[in-house]
Structure formats: C-alpha cells, structure tokens
Amino acid sequence: QVQLVESGGGLVQAGGSLRLSCAASGGTFSNFAMGWFRQAPGKEREFVCAINWSTGRRYYADSVKGRFTISRDNAKNTVYLQMNSLKPDDTAVYYCAADRTTSLSYDRARYDYWGQGTQVTVSS
C-alpha cells in the first residue's frame, strides 16, 4: 500500500522560504512520477510541479517557475519542494501525489495516490 506523508509546512513572511518533504513508502518509486499540488480556500486543487523519479526530469507550473524546485532523494524515498521568494498567493494546502506511470502531468486525475496535505501560509 503506497503511503505519502508530507511535512514542512508552516507560516512564513512574504519573500521567505520553506522546504516541504514527502516521504513515500509501499511502492517501487523508480517507476513513478511524483507531483506537488496545492489548494487554496475556495479554489480548485492546482498543479505545482512534478518529477520523474527515475530520470529526474521536471515540469513546473508557470506560476512557480524560477521560485520553486522539486527534487528527490532515492535513498530516502523522499521528494522535496524547495519554495523561495514566497508570495501571499502561494498560501494553500500543499499535497504530494504519485502517478504509477512515468509521464509528467499537470492533470490531478492522473495521480493514483495522495498525501494528507500540509498547510503553507505566507503573510504579507
């Protein structure tokens, strides 16, 4: 049973940084693509970025390109989201997700497993 557990959320001032972690277990993740999504109050869950676990190829939403970096640590089965230059608009619950194919996708319907989410709040 695949399990994803996010951590690292919190409160930060605009312009600050946070690093989120997603610890994955119960699967052979070299065959997966991993994604980060976020959901702000009253809005739909939206794509942030994704990484092919095997090749390291990355894909970012335009809204975070140049500010956020997704990475993975194979030995720890952990995916990270480094968030820099944070803005109040980045405030949301951030979710880690796993896709059993290696295709990088912005479509949340493609992802098979989800974590419980971690809150990120950016104050102005």
Side-chain angles (χ1 to χ4, degrees):
Q1 179 76 5
V2 171
Q3 287 192 317
L4 306 174
V5 179
E6 302 99 332
S7 61
L11 173 64
V12 64
Q13 287 189 331
S17 298
L18 279 175
R19 188 178 80 157
L20 306 183
S21 300
C22 172
S25 61
T28 305
F29 296 98
S30 58
N31 299 327
F32 282 43
M34 303 295 293
W36 286 98
F37 288 76
R38 66 186 182 186
Q39 188 166 18
K43 295 187 177 181
E44 290 193 354
R45 193 171 298 189
E46 65 173 5
F47 173 77
V48 176
C49 56
I51 188 168
N52 179 306
W53 197 296
S54 178
T55 67
R57 182 179 170 218
R58 299 163 173 84
Y59 177 36
Y60 295 95
D62 287 343
S63 59
V64 306
K65 203 173 292 184
R67 300 189 298 124
F68 290 11
T69 302
I70 187 171
S71 62
R72 86 279 191 224
D73 184 326
N74 292 341
K76 296 182 179 180
N77 265 7
T78 300
V79 175
Y80 301 99
L81 180 63
Q82 178 67 43
M83 305 185 294
N84 299 328
S85 303
L86 283 161
K87 307 174 182 179
D89 283 350
D90 295 318
T91 295
V93 177
Y94 283 71
Y95 297 90
C96 176
D99 177 358
R100 287 176 294 182
T101 75
T102 56
S103 299
L104 298 179
S105 176
Y106 61 85
D107 183 358
R108 63 180 184 265
R110 292 287 305 270
Y111 290 80
D112 304 290
Y113 306 99
W114 292 85
Q116 82 289 351
T118 185
Q119 176 71 46
V120 171
T121 303
V122 184
S123 63
S124 57

